Amino acid sequence: MRNRTRNFICVLLAVVLILPVMSLCSYADDGEITYHSSGIIYNINHFPDDEVYIPNLPVTARQFYSNNSSDSYRFFNTLNSAQKCIYNSVKNTRAGLDASKNVSALGMDPESTAVITVEFNSSRNLPSSSSSELEKNITISVCAALSALLEDYPEYFWLGAFGYNYGSSTSSGTYYLASLTIYMTVAYSGYRNWTTVNSCYEELLNCVSAFEVKGTSRYAKVKSIHDGIIAMAEYDPNYDNANANPYAHEPTGIFFAPHYAVCEGYAEAFKLLCDREGIPCINVVGLGSGGPHKWNYVKMDDGYWYGLDATWDDQSIGTVYDFFLTGSESRDAHFGGYAFNSEQNHVPTGTNFAVDFALTYPVINTVSYSSGLTDVDTDATFNNAKLMMFIQKNAVLGSEFYTVNDHSFYPDDHTVTVNGITTGGSVTVNNNISGLRTYGVVRWGDVDSSNTVDGADYETVLRTAAADNVISDPLQLAAGDLNEDGVIDGFDAVYLDLYINDAIEKY
């Protein structure tokens, strides 16, 4: 077991800038006007320094936003009503892209600043006992809304530097937020101006749309995204120089040449691709081995959330799976054998801004998602919800297994029993992490359980689609349902014909 060394250089961007003074006002109960001219710029904390080192080893509305599903976890839903109004006002202007005009009259640069007026649902927001408490609550609310928005919409990569002015009212000794204007600036993001931001935004959406994700099951897609990002990108070799690669902290760092990124870029790119595929996924902010870090939680088809850290799985020795769909108590294989949620590993804090607010996260499962993958000669996908193991048409199903998600790479760490080598068979896996599980075997396309995928299977699917044949066995039904919509129909016949002739693949 190799020891790990992680180097951290903690850089907190505490940028303070006084904007040209803008006065907003409101009428108090006694007829006096209350003025507020606040111009402090708050900047999101970036984490440029979370490298893992193994010693001695070599769009208007987003088109692919999935978090409207019942499986989703949106940070928006954790906010109070005032925070939701702030969130929506910024979101509806695409985090400033549509609000960067007509600001020169305010003494600001329209090329780098946007003015966003928040539309509230109520005239009495954030009730507070004093003017100082109200201002504190406003700061927390703006930071909460923008923090939630950034994590729900990571394609708003420039979001982070902002200031605000507000108007207040009083009633019976209670202070309320009456109006709020947010000044969004890209001066600190490395993108120079809104023209550059808009160009990068459109290019990012195109890159996300064009990224190839293989497989049909949720597991296969998650693994394809994880492996694809690692294959395409490299941990920023100049991570300790914030000016060397201004895109490293955003998903643009993953998708844009030279494809250098740090943890934020990896995690946010991963979420964007999961969103595109309809896979519930969130970004998680916290500590990694004691230093600032960012990673993901993914909800799988068994109803549980799991941890995933593509940054730390991207190693000089190649892709590892120590932090792939892992449980809170699962231990890594290459970095000291620590549990995923131990203080030596991943500790979620939810803090994006240096204010008294933290995002809340779902609880991840204690054990890893999948009990194992078969021998390298058998390309298989486990579906824990259906307790089925899907294998390809030419896969050789043997008894030599190695596990991945409980991070043990040795066959003698568990037992495997194979009963049948094609559709209708079963595989039982027993290990010290997931326990005993039995999976029904499904060989894609082999609906007649002959251990070959050929014209006979095609005829069976055709007759079943035409209601001239009935398949009652759930494993055989799964083998013939190539588009995985729950029924065998003409579409499956088309897919099977293509699959038999090697025109498409199944995972």
Side-chain angles (χ1 to χ4, degrees), residues 129-174:
S129 61
S130 65
S131 59
S132 60
E133 182 185 66
L134 175 62
E135 185 162 2
K136 176 183 177 182
N137 289 339
I138 294 170
T139 299
I140 292 174
S141 294
V142 175
C143 289
L146 296 185
S147 183
L149 180 62
L150 175 67
E151 305 305 357
D152 283 344
Y153 287 85
E155 68 268 38
Y156 293 162
F157 50 81
W158 62 93
L159 183 63
F162 67 91
Y164 65 81
N165 284 330
Y166 67 97
S168 69
S169 63
T170 59
S171 176
S172 302
T174 301

Side-chain angles (χ1 to χ4, degrees), residues 214 219-220 223 373-382 389-398 402 442-444 499 505-507:
K214 297 180 179 180
Y219 175 86
K223 186 173 185 299
L373 293 179
T374 55
D375 180 83
V376 291
D377 292 331
T378 307
D379 198 344
T381 298
F382 286 85
M389 185 183 77
F390 294 83
I391 58 177
Q392 295 184 17
K393 61 183 179 182
N394 296 322
V396 177
L397 183 56
Y402 68 94
V442 176
R443 186 182 296 277
W444 287 115
Y499 184 52
E505 296 178 323
K506 287 293 294 182
Y507 294 87

